[in-house]
Amino acid sequence: MRFGRVGPAGAEVPAVLDGDTWRDLRTVTEEIDGEFLGRQGEVDWAGVLGGLTPLEPGRIGAPVARPGKVVCIGLNYRDHAAESGMDIPAEPVLFMKDPATVVGPDDQVLIPRESVKTDWEVELAVVIGRTARYLPDEQAALDCVAGYAIANDVSEREFQLERGGQWDKGKSCETFNPLGPVLVTADEVADPGNLNLRLWVNGELRQDGTTADMVFGVGHIIHYLSQFMVLHPGDVVNTGTPAGVAMGLPGQPYLRAGDVMELVIEGLGRQRQELVQA
């Protein structure tokens, strides 16, 4: 299944993508949220789909409403760690993003005031579908995954690395986590460890990688996180980015107002964001 939310910001309608047609899910659920994700596997979708009303196409919101938390894994691609001048981590590097950073896949991204180092990061996002607490192994971790989506872990490098403290303040600026367009359920993703992911800025390919290059795979990440925190249905986990971010490129071509980012992950859709000044 491919779930999403369609409509103006703050008034999105839960929907399912049936071929090229969005269908209204409000007879099944009021939202695409943790409560729904925890029970969606119990729905007889073959019997339900034909009775759902088509929706007019329009703005697409983030496919998950109000995630409880957004947990991120840093330096999880060998080539990105190298371009960042950092060692490959022995254990996953964790940081958090404000859940309010989550916006629609084609919404504008705001460059923070006084920012000169706003950067891009295409990432595979994992959405949790059942409570993950002290999981015994990686298979149990994968059983807790509701599905996958594209995330853009937008980052302000000066705030993140040069202003002291934790990474979070360079990661939690408003609009810094476009998500979607769809949440593709786990049963439709044969191998999350073998997906191509790409990002363009103003039509120029900047990132071209594969999740096969992740240091820690999805099962390892979710199992690991469950030893330190409880993951709840609807939580989002961003799994890291490949090489090609502005920080690691010659001349460090950070984002400016008017720039356009486009992102693709194999089988998960496409995003497009224009940068504007906050």
Side-chain angles (χ1 to χ4, degrees):
M1 304 299 293
R2 293 170 179 262
F3 298 117
R5 299 167 64 249
V6 179
E12 294 92 345
V13 171
V16 60
L17 190 59
D18 181 15
D20 294 326
T21 302
W22 285 107
R23 296 191 179 276
D24 192 334
L25 266 183
R26 284 178 289 185
T27 58
V28 178
T29 183
E30 295 182 359
E31 260 297 9
I32 307 296
D33 57 10
E35 188 277 331
F36 168 72
L37 293 173
R39 63 177 176 83
Q40 64 85 19
E42 303 168 6
V43 177
D44 175 17
W45 291 107
V48 166
L49 275 177
L52 299 177
T53 304
L55 288 169
E56 291 295 325
R59 174 187 174 272
I60 299 174
V64 181
R66 302 180 300 274
K69 54 184 170 289
V70 179
V71 187
C72 304
I73 308 300
L75 304 175
N76 196 33
Y77 285 71
R78 294 169 179 83
D79 55 1
H80 176 57
E83 73 174 351
S84 301
M86 300 182 188
D87 294 334
I88 295 172
E91 297 188 37
V93 175
L94 309 184
F95 63 91
M96 309 287 282
K97 296 191 84 157
D98 180 355
T101 58
V102 174
V103 295
D106 300 327
D107 289 349
Q108 292 179 329
V109 169
L110 301 179
I111 297 177
R113 296 178 186 180
E114 301 185 9
S115 166
V116 293
K117 294 184 178 181
T118 296
D119 206 346
W120 58 81
E121 292 191 15
V122 59
E123 305 204 6
L124 175 67
V126 179
V127 180
I128 301 301
R130 65 176 69 170
T131 301
R133 177 179 179 271
Y134 294 116
L135 297 172
D137 52 42
E138 293 189 14
Q139 184 56 56
L142 291 171
D143 290 343
C144 291
V145 174
Y148 302 92
I150 304 172
N152 189 352
D153 177 22
V154 185
S155 308
E156 213 297 338
R157 302 302 187 187
E158 181 186 5
F159 298 175
Q160 176 189 356
L161 300 172
E162 301 174 32
R163 299 289 297 272
Q166 303 296 314
W167 286 9
D168 300 43
K169 62 189 173 187
K171 297 285 190 171
S172 289
C173 305
E174 57 183 333
T175 74
F176 265 26
N177 205 108
L179 187 70
V182 289
L183 167 61
V184 180
T185 53
D187 60 302
E188 291 202 16
V189 180
D191 184 1
N194 188 28
L195 300 175
N196 295 120
L197 59 172
R198 297 181 177 88
L199 180 145
W200 294 259
V201 178
N202 300 329
E204 183 172 354
L205 183 63
R206 292 299 195 181
Q207 291 183 277
D208 185 2
T210 170
T211 57
D213 290 336
M214 289 196 297
V215 179
F216 305 105
V218 170
H220 185 100
I221 289 168
I222 303 306
H223 171 259
Y224 183 87
L225 290 174
S226 78
Q227 311 307 309
F228 300 94
M229 66 184 74
V230 179
L231 299 175
H232 297 282
D235 286 350
V236 175
V237 179
N238 291 343
T239 58
T241 199
V245 300
M247 180 176 64
L249 292 173
Q252 297 186 321
Y254 289 111
L255 295 162
R256 299 290 182 262
D259 287 345
V260 173
M261 298 179 287
E262 295 177 272
L263 299 74
V264 171
I265 296 183
E266 180 183 355
L268 302 184
R270 190 179 191 97
Q271 297 185 354
R272 182 185 185 278
Q273 301 109 31
E274 179 181 356
L275 279 296
V276 298
Q277 188 64 50

